[in-house]
PDB file of all heavy atoms in Angstrom:
ATOM      1  N   ALA R  20     104.320 124.434 120.515  1.00 49.00           N
ATOM      2  CA  ALA R  20     104.674 124.196 119.118  1.00 49.00           C
ATOM      3  C   ALA R  20     105.174 122.866 118.889  1.00 49.00           C
ATOM      4  O   ALA R  20     104.895 122.139 117.924  1.00 49.00           O
ATOM      5  CB  ALA R  20     105.516 125.348 118.626  1.00 49.00           C
ATOM      6  N   SER R  21     106.161 122.568 119.741  1.00 48.00           N
ATOM      7  CA  SER R  21     106.801 121.263 119.740  1.00 48.00           C
ATOM      8  C   SER R  21     105.866 120.134 119.883  1.00 48.00           C
ATOM      9  O   SER R  21     105.938 118.981 119.395  1.00 48.00           O
ATOM     10  CB  SER R  21     108.026 121.042 120.699  1.00 48.00           C
ATOM     11  OG  SER R  21     107.539 121.061 122.024  1.00 48.00           O
ATOM     12  N   LEU R  22     104.952 120.309 120.962  1.00 47.00           N
ATOM     13  CA  LEU R  22     103.945 119.363 121.062  1.00 47.00           C
ATOM     14  C   LEU R  22     103.060 119.107 119.723  1.00 47.00           C
ATOM     15  O   LEU R  22     102.725 117.978 119.476  1.00 47.00           O
ATOM     16  CB  LEU R  22     102.939 119.579 122.166  1.00 47.00           C
ATOM     17  CG  LEU R  22     103.579 119.471 123.696  1.00 47.00           C
ATOM     18  CD1 LEU R  22     102.634 120.015 124.616  1.00 47.00           C
ATOM     19  CD2 LEU R  22     103.942 118.031 123.942  1.00 47.00           C
ATOM     20  N   LEU R  23     102.745 120.157 119.230  1.00 48.00           N
ATOM     21  CA  LEU R  23     101.986 120.082 117.886  1.00 48.00           C
ATOM     22  C   LEU R  23     102.693 119.424 116.792  1.00 48.00           C
ATOM     23  O   LEU R  23     102.130 118.596 116.117  1.00 48.00           O
ATOM     24  CB  LEU R  23     101.532 121.470 117.477  1.00 48.00           C
ATOM     25  CG  LEU R  23     100.393 122.239 118.283  1.00 48.00           C
ATOM     26  CD1 LEU R  23     100.196 123.634 117.602  1.00 48.00           C
ATOM     27  CD2 LEU R  23      99.235 121.344 118.197  1.00 48.00           C
ATOM     28  N   SER R  24     103.936 119.719 116.647  1.00 40.00           N
ATOM     29  CA  SER R  24     104.660 119.158 115.505  1.00 40.00           C
ATOM     30  C   SER R  24     104.832 117.511 115.915  1.00 40.00           C
ATOM     31  O   SER R  24     104.912 116.731 115.014  1.00 40.00           O
ATOM     32  CB  SER R  24     106.051 119.788 115.381  1.00 40.00           C
ATOM     33  OG  SER R  24     106.883 119.535 116.493  1.00 40.00           O
ATOM     34  N   PHE R  25     105.255 117.137 117.098  1.00 40.00           N
ATOM     35  CA  PHE R  25     105.265 115.828 117.424  1.00 40.00           C
ATOM     36  C   PHE R  25     103.943 115.068 117.132  1.00 40.00           C
ATOM     37  O   PHE R  25     103.983 113.952 116.589  1.00 40.00           O
ATOM     38  CB  PHE R  25     105.655 115.483 118.925  1.00 40.00           C
ATOM     39  CG  PHE R  25     107.138 115.925 119.127  1.00 40.00           C
ATOM     40  CD1 PHE R  25     107.449 116.655 120.263  1.00 40.00           C
ATOM     41  CD2 PHE R  25     108.000 115.299 118.330  1.00 40.00           C
ATOM     42  CE1 PHE R  25     108.845 116.893 120.454  1.00 40.00           C
ATOM     43  CE2 PHE R  25     109.441 115.535 118.655  1.00 40.00           C
ATOM     44  CZ  PHE R  25     109.793 116.462 119.656  1.00 40.00           C
ATOM     45  N   ASP R  26     102.850 115.723 117.566  1.00 42.00           N
ATOM     46  CA  ASP R  26     101.557 115.087 117.321  1.00 42.00           C
ATOM     47  C   ASP R  26     101.249 114.967 115.842  1.00 42.00           C
ATOM     48  O   ASP R  26     100.783 113.928 115.444  1.00 42.00           O
ATOM     49  CB  ASP R  26     100.507 115.913 118.062  1.00 42.00           C
ATOM     50  CG  ASP R  26      99.085 115.178 117.953  1.00 42.00           C
ATOM     51  OD1 ASP R  26      98.961 114.023 118.238  1.00 42.00           O
ATOM     52  OD2 ASP R  26      98.197 115.901 117.525  1.00 42.00           O
ATOM     53  N   GLY R  27     101.630 115.976 115.045  1.00 40.00           N
ATOM     54  CA  GLY R  27     101.347 115.923 113.626  1.00 40.00           C
ATOM     55  C   GLY R  27     102.290 114.730 112.938  1.00 40.00           C
ATOM     56  O   GLY R  27     101.736 114.162 112.164  1.00 40.00           O
ATOM     57  N   ALA R  28     103.575 114.660 113.484  1.00 39.00           N
ATOM     58  CA  ALA R  28     104.475 113.667 112.846  1.00 39.00           C
ATOM     59  C   ALA R  28     103.903 112.409 113.287  1.00 39.00           C
ATOM     60  O   ALA R  28     103.917 111.417 112.400  1.00 39.00           O
ATOM     61  CB  ALA R  28     105.846 113.953 113.436  1.00 39.00           C
ATOM     62  N   ASP R  29     103.363 112.170 114.410  1.00 40.00           N
ATOM     63  CA  ASP R  29     102.840 110.975 114.825  1.00 40.00           C
ATOM     64  C   ASP R  29     101.568 110.446 114.107  1.00 40.00           C
ATOM     65  O   ASP R  29     101.453 109.440 113.670  1.00 40.00           O
ATOM     66  CB  ASP R  29     102.418 110.955 116.391  1.00 40.00           C
ATOM     67  CG  ASP R  29     101.984 109.570 116.943  1.00 40.00           C
ATOM     68  OD1 ASP R  29     102.652 108.666 116.655  1.00 40.00           O
ATOM     69  OD2 ASP R  29     100.839 109.507 117.502  1.00 40.00           O
ATOM     70  N   ARG R  30     100.718 111.497 113.762  1.00 36.00           N
ATOM     71  CA  ARG R  30      99.648 111.293 112.940  1.00 36.00           C
ATOM     72  C   ARG R  30     100.101 110.846 111.527  1.00 36.00           C
ATOM     73  O   ARG R  30      99.559 109.967 110.794  1.00 36.00           O
ATOM     74  CB  ARG R  30      98.720 112.496 112.824  1.00 36.00           C
ATOM     75  CG  ARG R  30      97.569 112.503 113.880  1.00 36.00           C
ATOM     76  CD  ARG R  30      96.631 113.534 113.558  1.00 36.00           C
ATOM     77  NE  ARG R  30      97.284 114.786 113.601  1.00 36.00           N
ATOM     78  CZ  ARG R  30      96.872 115.763 114.195  1.00 36.00           C
ATOM     79  NH1 ARG R  30      95.801 115.812 114.948  1.00 36.00           N
ATOM     80  NH2 ARG R  30      97.609 116.966 114.225  1.00 36.00           N
ATOM     81  N   THR R  31     101.153 111.520 111.013  1.00 34.00           N
ATOM     82  CA  THR R  31     101.611 111.326 109.599  1.00 34.00           C
ATOM     83  C   THR R  31     102.223 109.750 109.602  1.00 34.00           C
ATOM     84  O   THR R  31     101.909 108.958 108.676  1.00 34.00           O
ATOM     85  CB  THR R  31     102.684 112.262 109.181  1.00 34.00           C
ATOM     86  OG1 THR R  31     102.171 113.524 109.313  1.00 34.00           O
ATOM     87  CG2 THR R  31     103.235 111.897 107.888  1.00 34.00           C
ATOM     88  N   ARG R  32     102.918 109.413 110.723  1.00 34.00           N
ATOM     89  CA  ARG R  32     103.561 108.190 110.744  1.00 34.00           C
ATOM     90  C   ARG R  32     102.350 107.005 110.773  1.00 34.00           C
ATOM     91  O   ARG R  32     102.431 106.037 110.181  1.00 34.00           O
ATOM     92  CB  ARG R  32     104.359 107.912 112.031  1.00 34.00           C
ATOM     93  CG  ARG R  32     105.793 108.483 111.866  1.00 34.00           C
ATOM     94  CD  ARG R  32     106.654 108.021 112.974  1.00 34.00           C
ATOM     95  NE  ARG R  32     106.245 108.391 114.237  1.00 34.00           N
ATOM     96  CZ  ARG R  32     106.639 109.650 114.733  1.00 34.00           C
ATOM     97  NH1 ARG R  32     107.400 110.431 113.973  1.00 34.00           N
ATOM     98  NH2 ARG R  32     106.196 109.946 115.943  1.00 34.00           N
TER      99      ARG R  32
END
Side-chain angles (χ1 to χ4, degrees):
S21 70
L22 286 176
L23 288 178
S24 66
F25 284 130
D26 184 49
D29 185 51
R30 268 192 298 231
T31 302
R32 277 195 298 276

